[in-house]
Amino acid sequence: MIKHEFRYAANPVDARKYGTEELRKEFLIEKLFVQDEIRLTYSMYDRYIVGGVMPVSKDLTLETIPYLKSENFLDRRELGIVNVGGKGKVVVDGKEYELSKKEALYVGQGAKEVIFSNVGEGQPLFYINSAPAHKNFPTKKVGVNEAEVVQLGDEKYANKRVLNKLIVNSIVETCQLQMGLTELLPGNVWNTMPAHTHNRRMEAYFYFNLEEGQTISHFMGEPQHTRHIFMENNQAVLSPEWSIHSGSGTSSYSFIWGMAGENLDYGDMDVCAPNELK
């Protein structure tokens, strides 16, 4: 079963006036994983799709949705998948790919059938991102040992973290989709600080591995007009191109960042110094 919703893009001047309820309605994706369902949010930010797939008792097939006006989901799109649960399996046009936790799969434009399965070794949770694509690139799995790993941050500033680049152009050829996984070390709580924007790309953040009963405050908005959204484990948030995307948790956690837009350069950032934020 596929459930889907649609989100319009927000004007930054309008977003300055949003209260808590409006911010959550426009940007927060609260429920990604539901037993034996595929849940998708279609966003007008670069027509990006954020979703969750949780196969429990049956296989789940990624079928097209009305917004795409296409016979198959990937006729004009590419897809990124990261497993954040137990071992699972993805079958792309008859070829099987087993994904353990933190492993990724890129599926190129033009694939006809994508099936998600539970192999009985823990509960798989497939987090997916999709962006429009104009060219077919080969489907490719990125294992844990194939990620491009970068050490970031400093314990002095409570932001020491490990960045795992998974679906990035230095590892996988893509049209515009980029995805990676960042892990905060124990005792560290700040992500993406100093904060930044990039008008060439939108972004989505998915937070997971958060201790039960804890929370994350995700910071967004223009650098001089910031807002915050309190989030729980296994929730995602849309980040417009004009918005910062940073967060702080009441415990350590992990998050997956996904991006689409004009530029594949990971370092394309307009950095905002911490003491310049308002």
Side-chain angles (χ1 to χ4, degrees):
M1 177 186 292
I2 296 182
K3 289 192 175 181
H4 51 81
E5 62 172 315
F6 184 95
R7 302 281 181 95
Y8 283 106
N11 183 298
V13 177
D14 291 341
R16 296 176 193 174
K17 305 169 188 175
Y18 291 173
T20 299
E21 185 176 341
E22 290 170 301
L23 286 169
R24 297 177 72 85
K25 180 181 178 182
E26 294 292 331
F27 303 106
L28 179 63
I29 302 173
E30 294 191 76
K31 198 74 172 178
L32 278 163
F33 298 116
V34 176
Q35 180 174 326
D36 289 329
E37 285 187 4
I38 297 176
R39 292 209 160 196
L40 303 174
T41 297
Y42 182 102
S43 163
M44 290 301 284
Y45 298 112
D46 284 298
R47 300 188 181 274
Y48 204 75
I49 293 177
V50 175
V53 185
M54 185 179 179
V56 178
S57 60
K58 61 182 180 181
D59 296 344
L60 298 174
T61 300
L62 184 62
E63 299 173 341
T64 192
I65 55 177
Y67 319 121
L68 304 183
K69 301 294 184 183
S70 62
E71 182 179 352
N72 304 291
F73 188 92
L74 293 175
D75 283 351
R76 297 185 296 273
R77 291 189 153 265
E78 57 188 351
L79 176 70
I81 305 166
V82 182
N83 186 9
V84 296
K87 183 178 288 187
K89 181 176 69 176
V90 182
V91 181
V92 181
D93 290 342
K95 185 172 182 179
E96 297 184 0
Y97 300 88
E98 281 200 347
L99 296 182
S100 297
K101 188 171 186 178
K102 299 194 298 183
E103 292 190 320
L105 182 69
Y106 171 79
V107 184
Q109 175 262 340
K112 303 300 183 185
E113 186 177 61
V114 181
I115 302 172
F116 299 86
S117 302
N118 187 334
V119 298
E121 297 181 32
Q123 176 59 58
L125 299 172
F126 298 105
Y127 175 67
I128 63 176
N129 285 182
S130 175
H134 61 275
K135 181 179 179 180
N136 171 264
F137 289 109
T139 295
K140 181 178 179 179
K141 175 182 173 179
V142 181
V144 173
N145 297 326
E146 297 169 296
E148 188 177 315
V149 179
V150 181
Q151 305 287 335
L152 293 173
D154 192 320
E155 288 188 356
K156 177 181 177 181
Y157 301 111
N159 66 357
K160 194 170 181 60
R161 57 201 189 274
V162 178
L163 186 154
N164 302 274
K165 297 182 182 180
L166 297 170
I167 300 174
V168 296
N169 60 324
S170 56
I171 299 175
V172 182
E173 285 189 295
T174 74
C175 285
Q176 61 170 325
L177 183 64
Q178 304 277 282
M179 295 179 73
L181 190 159
T182 300
E183 301 170 278
L184 276 291
L185 272 59
N188 291 268
V189 296
W190 276 101
N191 76 69
T192 323
M193 184 59 70
H196 63 264
T197 60
H198 27 63
N199 283 329
R200 281 71 59 195
R201 301 183 301 204
M202 60 75 64
E203 200 156 345
Y205 270 23
F206 165 70
Y207 291 99
F208 70 107
N209 279 349
L210 178 68
E211 291 181 22
E212 186 175 354
Q214 301 303 307
T215 188
I216 292 167
S217 183
H218 178 83
F219 295 95
M220 61 160 296
E222 298 163 282
Q224 276 71 53
H225 298 278
T226 58
R227 300 291 183 269
H228 68 272
I229 300 174
F230 278 101
M231 299 177 60
E232 299 177 11
N233 194 43
N234 289 344
Q235 292 185 339
V237 64
L238 297 169
S239 180
E241 70 285 348
W242 45 263
S243 175
I244 65 167
H245 29 284
S246 180
S248 182
T250 53
S251 68
S252 56
Y253 53 90
S254 300
F255 69 98
I256 293 172
W257 43 269
M259 302 184 284
E262 290 188 308
N263 198 338
L264 294 177
D265 178 11
Y266 175 80
D268 176 10
M269 304 175 187
D270 299 319
V271 176
C272 313
N275 63 349
E276 294 175 349
L277 297 171
K278 294 181 180 178

